[in-house]
Each structure stands twice: as C-alpha cells, then as structure tokens.
Amino acid sequence: MKHIKTYESFLFESSGYELTMKELEDNAYVVYAKKGSQEVGRLDFVKSKFKPVLKGTAVTVDPAHRRQGIGSSMYVYAEKELGMKFVKSEEVLTPDGKSIWNDPNRKFGL
C-alpha cells in the first residue's frame, strides 16, 4: 500500500477532519476522512487507464457526520491530488448521490 499524502484539514475551512489518500493497487485508490482516530468517511475510486478521469466505486460517510461536506471534500481532494476529474458513475449512486451529481453547482466532477 502506497501512502500519498495527509492533510490536517479538509478543503472546507475549520472542519477538524483529516484526509488521507492511499493507492491500494495499480490505478485503485482510497481517500479516508478521519476525526481524531475515528474514520468517518471513505471514498474508493479508480483512475482510468485509457482516459484522464477518475471513477468512484464506493463512498460512505458515517451517519453522525453527514451533511457537513465530507463526501464532497473527499472528491475535491482526490481531484486536486491527481489532477483529474471524476465522471458520474450511475451504477453506484444512491438517491442522495444522484441528487448531488445532478446539482450543477457541485465542486467536483465533469
């Protein structure tokens, strides 16, 4: 497992959360969101071998920490670190996820 980089806070100011991204294997990555030692979010994704895009495979945020921008921050963080944008992945979206992706003002994705 390759460690890429750790940030002391989210891209959104004063959250008190920490983001860490790791490469799990060739072109497969994970971003963890932690508050202290507790993992409160996780974004699994792959980097396309054929196009300069990222594709989410799973995203979870602990119910007690939802609606604070954690999921969006994980997407933005990965895009900035890898210099690529996420593409919409219909097969893994929940109804809430579809609502976020359909928002033209979201801060991530193509």
Side-chain angles (χ1 to χ4, degrees):
M1 208 178 297
K2 181 180 172 186
H3 175 73
I4 296 178
K5 195 169 186 179
T6 299
Y7 276 67
E8 292 303 315
S9 64
F10 279 119
L11 300 170
F12 300 125
E13 296 292 320
S14 70
S15 65
Y17 294 94
E18 178 183 324
L19 293 177
T20 305
M21 184 166 68
K22 293 183 180 178
E23 184 175 0
L24 300 176
E25 56 188 57
D26 189 36
N27 294 320
Y29 296 83
V30 63
V31 172
Y32 297 103
K34 291 186 177 181
K35 181 144 185 134
S37 62
Q38 179 187 7
E39 183 180 308
V40 297
R42 178 181 172 137
L43 168 64
D44 292 88
F45 64 97
V46 295
K47 183 169 59 170
S48 174
K49 293 180 181 180
F50 307 107
K51 296 180 182 179
V53 297
L54 305 173
K55 186 173 183 180
T57 56
V59 61
T60 57
V61 176
D62 182 281
H65 297 271
R66 290 183 183 159
R67 301 288 185 207
Q68 297 178 35
I70 295 170
S72 296
S73 292
M74 291 188 295
Y75 278 102
V76 172
Y77 172 80
E79 288 182 340
K80 288 190 181 288
E81 287 299 304
L82 297 175
M84 298 178 192
K85 292 283 192 182
F86 277 90
V87 292
K88 190 174 182 180
S89 181
E90 289 284 345
E91 62 270 13
V92 298
L93 289 177
T94 64
D96 283 343
K98 287 178 184 177
S99 173
I100 291 168
W101 272 93
N102 290 332
D103 179 356
N105 297 315
R106 73 179 180 283
K107 306 223 183 294
F108 59 88
L110 298 173

